Amino acid sequence: MTASPSNLPSRSPALSQEDQEVLDALNIRATPANTLRAYERDLLYVAAWKAARFGKALDWPEREEIALTFLLDHARDLKDAPLDDTARRTAEALIAQGLRKSLACPAPSTLDRRIASWLTFHQMKNLASPFDAPQVKQARARARRAAARPPTPKSQHPITRDVLEQLLATCQDSQRDCRDRALLMLGWASGGRRRSELTGLMREDVSLKDFDKSGVAWITLQDTKTTPKEETPRLVLKGRAAQALVHWIEVAEIDEGPLFRPVSKSDRVLTRRLSPDAVAQIVKRRLKLAGLPEGFASPHGLRSGFLTQAALDGAPIQAAMRLSRHRSMAQVQKYYDDVDIAENPATDLLG
């Protein structure tokens, strides 16, 4: 991790420096790169909040009253708070640093994530959690209820098969078109891949041993949010999607290294890895070329679109989950429920 050493908890006195370094390295190796980056961002936010609020660095373990104040400061909307309100002044300082967007009450999920990251650093050092104190736990539960809001979808619309076809129709024969076609089709047909999973793929993660015989490509996901490294999933890509992927590999002459790469303005394939943000730009550009409204869908629409289409086509939910790699059936069930209620004959009783 690259967080500032002054923000990190001190080493456990029960461990030698060598053992502590081994433990730190183990924690880092066992944690996905995206999660590590989220930990660092959240720790930076919490440290900046305490510095602005109290003029002090983080303590390890942190005191209960500090944790309680953090909860209270983030449990209300500060837009209408008096100008001299301490929580408001702290929030304005964080906005000035680019660490907070507005004075509005943060979403419960954002608050929960920052607290979870804070707790993770306590757990790494075997320190007591300030959020386990009864008063703090009660305040956290009440803050969550007070700030509850209807869940918003990560993508405004799912990219179902018909929408995907519109995006693919904008891809012609340039290197960029070949890449975008392969990325969109792999991202959708392999189960609705996350951005980090797409950009984390290496050429070595793609096996074409069965492609000539059966038109099948095998994909090994090394970097996934929900799967332990010892359970690296192997996914199958068939038909047009497999053909698009092989075509991209051939025209880009990718023998090793990152599978999806930037393409220069002169249509030259670069050697570095495509960034997750670039995937969002690819989806945005293809939506625009397809004549769809701006903001119609985000990259997560590939994931939600795959599951929605699986429900529309009557694919068993367990089969869809084997590809999407969801751990919770309840998360996937909502896509099936949305389709079921729309197709329910009782909704047509009035004609």
Side-chain angles (χ1 to χ4, degrees):
M1 299 182 194
T2 58
S4 171
S6 63
N7 294 332
L8 293 174
S10 59
R11 297 183 181 278
S12 170
L15 295 176
S16 67
Q17 180 173 343
E18 182 180 359
D19 287 342
Q20 184 65 60
E21 289 173 354
V22 172
L23 179 60
D24 290 343
L26 178 63
N27 285 326
I28 291 173
R29 290 201 312 273
T31 307
N34 278 355
T35 303
L36 287 175
R37 286 192 288 270
Y39 285 164
E40 291 179 0
R41 288 194 301 269
D42 292 336
L43 185 64
L44 176 63
Y45 179 90
V46 173
W49 169 83
K50 187 176 179 185
R53 188 71 158 82
F54 297 101
K56 297 179 180 179
L58 294 176
D59 289 318
W60 301 96
E62 191 52 84
R63 290 173 293 149
E64 293 175 9
E65 59 266 29
I66 299 296
L68 181 59
T69 303
F70 183 82
L71 278 170
L72 297 177
D73 279 7
H74 293 82
R76 59 191 176 106
D77 198 318
L78 298 172
K79 293 194 296 292
D80 298 324
L83 295 179
D84 61 349
D85 183 279
T86 306
R88 175 171 180 151
R89 292 204 310 268
T90 302
E92 289 172 341
L94 295 174
I95 292 171
Q97 297 176 56
L99 297 174
R100 180 167 174 160
K101 292 182 178 179
S102 72
L103 294 173
C105 180
S109 59
T110 301
L111 181 58
D112 282 344
R113 194 199 67 238
R114 285 176 177 153
I115 290 174
S117 297
W118 201 353
L119 291 182
T120 295
F121 281 94
H122 281 80
Q123 293 165 355
M124 284 181 179
K125 303 299 181 180
N126 199 29
L127 299 173
S129 163
F131 290 93
D132 286 340
Q135 185 181 33
V136 180
K137 288 177 70 174
Q138 185 181 57
R140 185 178 180 186
R142 289 178 175 173
R144 188 181 292 114
R145 287 196 296 271
R149 60 189 70 174
T152 55
K154 295 180 181 179
S155 178
Q156 185 174 346
H157 294 93
I159 299 177
T160 49
R161 187 190 296 117
D162 60 332
V163 177
L164 180 65
E165 294 290 4
Q166 293 180 62
L167 304 188
L168 296 176
T170 69
C171 300
Q172 303 302 318
D173 299 321
S174 69
Q175 301 267 41
R176 188 185 304 274
D177 288 333
C178 292
R179 180 203 63 190
D180 292 0
R181 183 187 297 112
L183 185 146
L184 291 170
M185 294 186 83
L186 187 154
W188 195 92
S190 65
R193 303 272 58 89
R194 300 177 179 89
R195 290 186 297 171
S196 60
E197 294 171 352
L198 289 170
T199 57
L201 283 172
M202 304 290 284
R203 172 62 183 86
E204 294 81 358
D205 298 327
V206 179
S207 172
L208 302 178
K209 62 184 180 65
D210 296 326
F211 182 74
D212 290 337
K213 181 175 65 174
S214 57
V216 168
W218 294 94
I219 310 294
T220 302
L221 281 182
Q222 302 288 356
D223 187 9
T224 170
K225 179 180 177 181
T226 57
T227 307
K229 291 183 182 294
E230 65 271 16
E231 299 177 11
T232 301
R234 195 160 174 251
L235 305 174
V236 64
L237 204 63
K238 298 180 178 179
R240 295 166 55 204
Q243 293 167 12
L245 178 60
V246 171
H247 183 58
W248 161 244
I249 291 173
E250 290 176 346
V251 299
E253 299 180 349
I254 299 176
D255 297 320
E256 60 181 5
L259 182 62
F260 292 114
R261 310 174 179 198
V263 177
S264 70
K265 292 182 179 179
S266 61
D267 209 37
R268 182 173 61 89
V269 179
L270 306 182
T271 58
R272 68 177 184 269
R273 185 189 305 277
L274 199 67
S275 72
D277 286 342
V279 177
Q281 293 303 313
I282 289 170
V283 171
K284 182 178 180 180
R285 179 170 181 267
R286 294 299 164 183
L287 288 168
K288 182 177 180 179
L289 290 173
L292 293 166
E294 183 176 357
F296 180 85
S298 71
H300 192 269
L302 295 170
R303 191 162 175 78
S304 60
F306 169 82
L307 292 168
T308 301
Q309 194 65 55
L312 287 168
D313 290 356
I317 190 170
Q318 294 85 354
M321 288 180 66
R322 286 189 66 183
L323 288 180
S324 70
R325 308 302 299 180
H326 276 88
R327 289 183 295 185
S328 168
M329 183 174 289
Q331 285 185 301
V332 181
Q333 186 64 53
K334 64 184 180 181
Y335 297 105
Y336 279 68
D337 288 344
D338 287 345
V339 171
D340 288 344
I341 195 168
E343 300 296 323
N344 189 330
T347 62
D348 295 322
L349 293 181
L350 191 58

